[in-house]
Amino acid sequence: MSDAGGILTYRSANPFELVHLLHHLAAAPEQPMFGMLVLPEKPAREPLPAVVCLHGSMGWRGHHHEHMVRWLERGMAVFRLHSFEARRVASVVEDQMAVTMSMLLVDAYRALELLAAHPRIDRERIGITGWSLGGSVALYAAWEPVREALAPAQRFAAHLPFYPAAHLRMEEARWSHAPIRVLHGDADDYTPAHFASELADELRPLGVHIEVTRYANAHHSFDSIEPLAWLPNALRLGKRTTIVGRDGRSFTTARDGAPRYVDEPSQRAASFAAAANRGAHVGGSWETRRAAFSDAAGFLAQSLIGA
C-alpha cells in the first residue's frame, strides 16, 4: 500500500439489519466502496492518528468538511467515506431503507481495517465520527458484538457521534471502553437528544466512558450555516425505543406486549407506515457552531493525540 493519501478502494457489504450483520454477513451482497484519505500538512505525530468520517442522510455537507479541516489542522488524518456515492444514492431522508446503518457499519469497520494497514497511520489511534445517520454508526460501532463480527482484531480508539438516532437498546450489554462523546441539540425533533442521554445513563454503570453534550435551543444540523428549515418528508424518530435482542433481532413492543420485529424490509416499511413520523427541523446557529467545533476538535485531540 502506498504511503500517500487519495482515493482508497475496498470491499464492503449490504446487510439490511443488525441480525444480518451479526449472523448472515457472508450472505449479504458485496459492495464496492471507496473513501478519500487526506493527510495533514503538519502531522501531530508519526504514525498519524486518523478519523473515519461518515455523512448523514443528505450525504456530504459543507459543515462536515469544515470540521475535517479543523482536525487536519490539529495534525490528524481524515478518511471520508463515500457510502452513498458508491451505492449510487443521493439521499435517504425520505427512504431510510435505501442505505441502512448496518450497511454503513460494515463500511466503517472495513475502513478501519484498511487504515490499520496503512504505513502512515497509527492503528491504535483511529477514531470514528459521523453526523445524524453517520452519527448513529459512530455510536453503535462501540457495541462489542458489531466489532467482533466485523473486525475482531481491531477497534476504534474514540467515538464522536453528532446528533445520532440513539434509540436502539441492546439486551447484550457489552460496549467498548473507548471514550464516546455525543454532541446533540436540546431542540432536535428529528433525532431527539433524550434518547442519547437515557442511553448514556444506562451505560455509565457498566463502565462505559460516554458523555453527552446537549446544546441549548439547538436543532438537528446545529453545526451548519443553513437557516432553520422544515423538512416535511423527513422520517423522524418516534417516542419508543427499539430493542436488539441477544439473537440480534430488532423489535418494538406492541400495545398488547408482543414483539413487533423490524428486521426485514417489509417489516421496516410497515413500521414506518404505522408510525407516520414525518417532518423535522434542521438548521444551525453561529453560537452552537462555535461550541461544537471546539468541543469536537478538543475531544479528538485528547483521545487520539493526547493533547
Side-chain angles (χ1 to χ4, degrees), residues 139 164 166-167 169 182 184 192-201 210 212:
L139 175 61
H167 62 298
R169 297 294 182 268
V182 181
H184 224 308
H194 71 85
F195 285 110
S197 296
E198 291 160 6
L199 177 62
D201 289 343
I210 181 169
V212 180

Side-chain angles (χ1 to χ4, degrees), residues 23-304:
H23 302 299
H24 309 289
L25 188 59
E30 280 199 346
Q31 176 63 55
M33 187 51 51
F34 70 96
M36 175 68 73
L37 177 63
V38 185
L39 303 178
E41 179 183 21
K42 297 179 180 179
R45 55 187 299 157
E46 290 281 359
L48 290 164
V51 188
V52 174
C53 304
L54 298 105
H55 54 62
S57 295
M58 294 183 184
W60 286 115
R61 313 289 286 177
H63 57 289
H64 304 154
H65 294 95
E66 291 183 81
H67 280 286
M68 286 185 270
V69 168
R70 284 162 173 78
W71 304 337
L72 287 162
E73 290 173 342
R74 297 291 286 265
M76 295 172 274
V78 298
F79 189 60
R80 186 183 66 220
L81 289 186
H82 288 267
S83 297
F84 280 8
E85 291 93 334
R87 293 180 172 89
R88 299 184 180 181
V89 171
S91 169
V92 298
V93 169
E94 299 179 14
D95 180 8
Q96 291 290 327
M97 298 194 297
V99 182
T100 67
M101 185 185 75
S102 293
M103 298 174 191
L104 297 185
L105 279 165
V106 185
D107 296 351
Y109 267 103
R110 295 288 184 260
L112 174 64
E113 292 184 316
L114 182 72
L115 294 180
H118 193 283
R120 292 287 306 278
I121 303 299
D122 186 339
R123 63 181 292 124
E124 303 299 326
R125 295 176 181 270
I126 303 173
I128 182 171
T129 190
W131 293 261
S132 195
L133 173 60
S136 302
V137 176
L139 175 61
Y140 289 106
W143 190 45
E144 280 290 278
V146 164
R147 183 192 67 82
E148 291 166 355
L150 297 177
Q154 192 67 34
R155 66 176 67 247
F156 286 107
H159 300 255
L160 176 63
F162 290 81
Y163 31 90
H167 62 298
L168 300 182
R169 297 294 182 268
M170 282 47 184
E171 287 188 342
E172 186 172 354
R174 293 191 298 112
W175 291 75
S176 172
H177 290 293
I180 305 168
R181 179 77 176 273
V182 181
L183 303 183
H184 224 308
D186 262 344
D188 195 320
D189 58 3
Y190 201 162
T191 58
H194 71 85
F195 285 110
S197 296
E198 291 160 6
L199 177 62
D201 289 343
E202 294 175 15
L203 296 185
R204 288 191 198 96
L206 304 177
V208 179
H209 304 292
I210 181 169
E211 179 181 350
V212 180
T213 298
R214 293 172 59 162
Y215 302 109
N217 304 313
H219 293 270
H220 205 77
S221 299
F222 53 69
D223 48 341
S224 77
I225 61 170
E226 302 300 326
L228 188 64
W230 173 254
L231 300 181
N233 294 317
L235 187 64
R236 69 178 186 271
L237 283 181
K239 297 180 179 180
R240 292 185 296 176
T241 57
T242 298
I243 307 302
V244 179
R246 292 186 178 276
D247 59 0
R249 299 177 69 191
S250 301
F251 62 91
T252 59
T253 303
R255 294 184 185 279
D256 61 2
R260 178 180 293 144
Y261 289 97
V262 291
D263 294 314
E264 303 300 332
S266 60
Q267 295 170 332
R268 285 280 295 276
S271 176
F272 291 155
N277 298 320
R278 293 283 177 177
H281 291 90
V282 295
S285 76
W286 291 105
E287 181 180 0
T288 308
R289 269 172 53 86
R290 286 190 289 270
F293 281 123
S294 176
D295 290 340
F299 170 76
L300 289 176
Q302 181 180 20
S303 301
L304 303 180

